Amino acid sequence: SSGINAEWPLRPGISFGIVMGLYMLVCAGITSVAPFYTMSDNAAMANAFSGYPWMTFIVSLGAVLATATGSFSGLMVTSRVMFSMGEDGILFRSLTAVNKLTQVPWVATLVSMILPAFGILLLDIEELVKMNSGGMLICFCLTNICVIVARYQPPRTDIFATDTTVMERLSIYFSFSCWIFSLLAWLLLHQLGATVIGIILFVVMTTVAGVNVFLIQYKLEEIKLEEEAFRCPLSPWIPACGIWVNSGLMIALPLMTWVRVVACLVVGQICYFAYGLRHSTLTLQKKDCSSATEYVRLTDHFTVTSDTEHLIN
């Protein structure tokens, strides 16, 4: 989401790395001031300096500013996702409107502000946080799977090509198998606890998940890839570790949270099949209506040429 706005896409990663390092240093400093088990769940940092009122005020102010920064970061990500989906036709193409002066997708940003605001006003904030965590964990797992699959996806000149190779199908199968067995491992450990049978089943399921990663590494790697193929350091082990860790966090969430997340996913699927599938650029291209995907970028918005407007609508 932020890489598309950078001349050098690695810069956002470096900035996020610096922020992560600062967070880790703050956590280490706080736990050196007071033991973690004595801290409050609501305001741990402020309570750690309870003996110094002026320090408590500074820490609380910093926490408020950090929360605002996190909110702005989430707003940027959400608006860019909506913008990209609008470009693909999965959502309304009016979401691709860009401000003439700032070159910011203002419609997508405005929608990204209004919808969460209504959710916060009408629903319980604690449940919303849990639902957001569940959705993000699913996205993280799917992202790791996509990193593995992209490694074995041959370069294509046609971005609308939908045919898959044997390598892609095998990488998808092994990646999802790794995810399923990772979920089973954490689920069994969560249900059975730290008992002998629970630990044994956890180790067995984790081993099976690792076997799938091993098959990706040593079976698919035998197939020679072109130089232009997607590369990732220590792939597929690092993405597989991400899948395994995120699966454990998914199992830790309450059952009712997942019921609500599934309900939201169902609503999303209904919207996709009712609107997005019929209006997407890929669907129009499949219908040999490639001219319908030709856009004219004006100074402040995207529009469709007049001879293709009836195909979009």
Side-chain angles (χ1 to χ4, degrees), residues 5 79-80 83 87 93-110 297-303:
N5 296 322
S79 61
R80 268 54 176 187
F83 175 82
E87 277 191 315
R93 298 186 186 272
S94 57
L95 293 172
T96 60
V98 177
N99 183 271
K100 179 180 178 180
L101 179 62
T102 62
Q103 294 299 305
V104 171
W106 66 273
V107 175
T109 302
L110 190 62
R297 184 167 186 174
L298 302 181
T299 56
D300 58 345
H301 68 282
F302 286 80
T303 186

Side-chain angles (χ1 to χ4, degrees), residues 141-142 145 171-188 201-202 204-210 212-213 240 243-248 250-251:
C141 288
L142 292 176
I145 290 176
S171 61
I172 293 172
Y173 171 78
F174 289 134
S175 300
F176 274 97
S177 297
C178 175
W179 190 13
I180 292 172
F181 283 108
S182 297
L183 287 172
L184 287 175
W186 287 106
L187 178 62
L188 291 171
L201 291 176
F202 174 76
V204 170
M205 292 295 104
T206 301
T207 303
V208 175
N212 284 275
V213 183
I243 294 172
W244 185 78
V245 172
N246 288 315
S247 297
M250 291 172 64
I251 297 300

Side-chain angles (χ1 to χ4, degrees), residues 69-260:
T69 302
S71 300
F72 282 120
S73 300
L75 177 63
M76 185 189 70
V77 172
T78 305
S79 61
R80 268 54 176 187
V81 170
M82 284 189 176
F83 175 82
S84 298
M85 295 177 72
E87 277 191 315
D88 293 336
I90 299 175
L91 292 179
F92 302 111
R93 298 186 186 272
S94 57
L95 293 172
T96 60
V98 177
N99 183 271
K100 179 180 178 180
L101 179 62
T102 62
Q103 294 299 305
V104 171
W106 66 273
V107 175
T109 302
L110 190 62
V111 173
S112 300
M113 294 171 57
I114 294 175
L115 292 181
F118 274 106
I120 293 172
L121 289 174
L122 301 177
L123 302 175
D124 182 53
I125 186 64
E126 185 176 352
E127 293 301 326
L128 281 176
V129 170
K130 293 179 181 178
M131 291 173 60
N132 179 70
S133 298
M136 292 301 294
L137 289 172
I138 293 176
C139 292
F140 292 156
C141 288
L142 292 176
T143 300
N144 283 297
I145 290 176
C146 289
V147 170
I148 297 175
V149 174
R151 172 69 178 82
Y152 304 99
Q153 186 179 56
R156 292 190 176 97
T157 55
D158 183 8
I159 62 174
F160 298 106
T162 57
D163 57 310
T164 57
T165 63
V166 176
M167 291 188 296
E168 290 177 275
R169 290 193 291 269
L170 287 176
S171 61
I172 293 172
Y173 171 78
F174 289 134
S175 300
F176 274 97
S177 297
C178 175
W179 190 13
I180 292 172
F181 283 108
S182 297
L183 287 172
L184 287 175
W186 287 106
L187 178 62
L188 291 171
L189 183 63
H190 184 267
Q191 294 295 324
L192 300 176
T195 60
V196 176
I197 184 66
I199 295 176
I200 291 176
L201 291 176
F202 174 76
V203 172
V204 170
M205 292 295 104
T206 301
T207 303
V208 175
V211 169
N212 284 275
V213 183
F214 178 85
L215 292 174
I216 296 174
Q217 177 72 35
Y218 294 101
K219 288 297 181 182
L220 297 184
E221 286 290 344
E222 296 176 357
I223 305 174
K224 184 178 181 181
L225 297 176
E226 299 181 23
E227 292 297 327
E228 296 81 6
F230 178 81
R231 306 287 179 178
C232 176
L234 298 180
S235 178
W237 295 103
I238 289 182
C241 289
I243 294 172
W244 185 78
V245 172
N246 288 315
S247 297
L249 297 174
M250 291 172 64
I251 297 300
L253 292 175
L255 177 61
M256 288 306 300
T257 297
W258 287 114
V259 173
R260 298 184 181 96

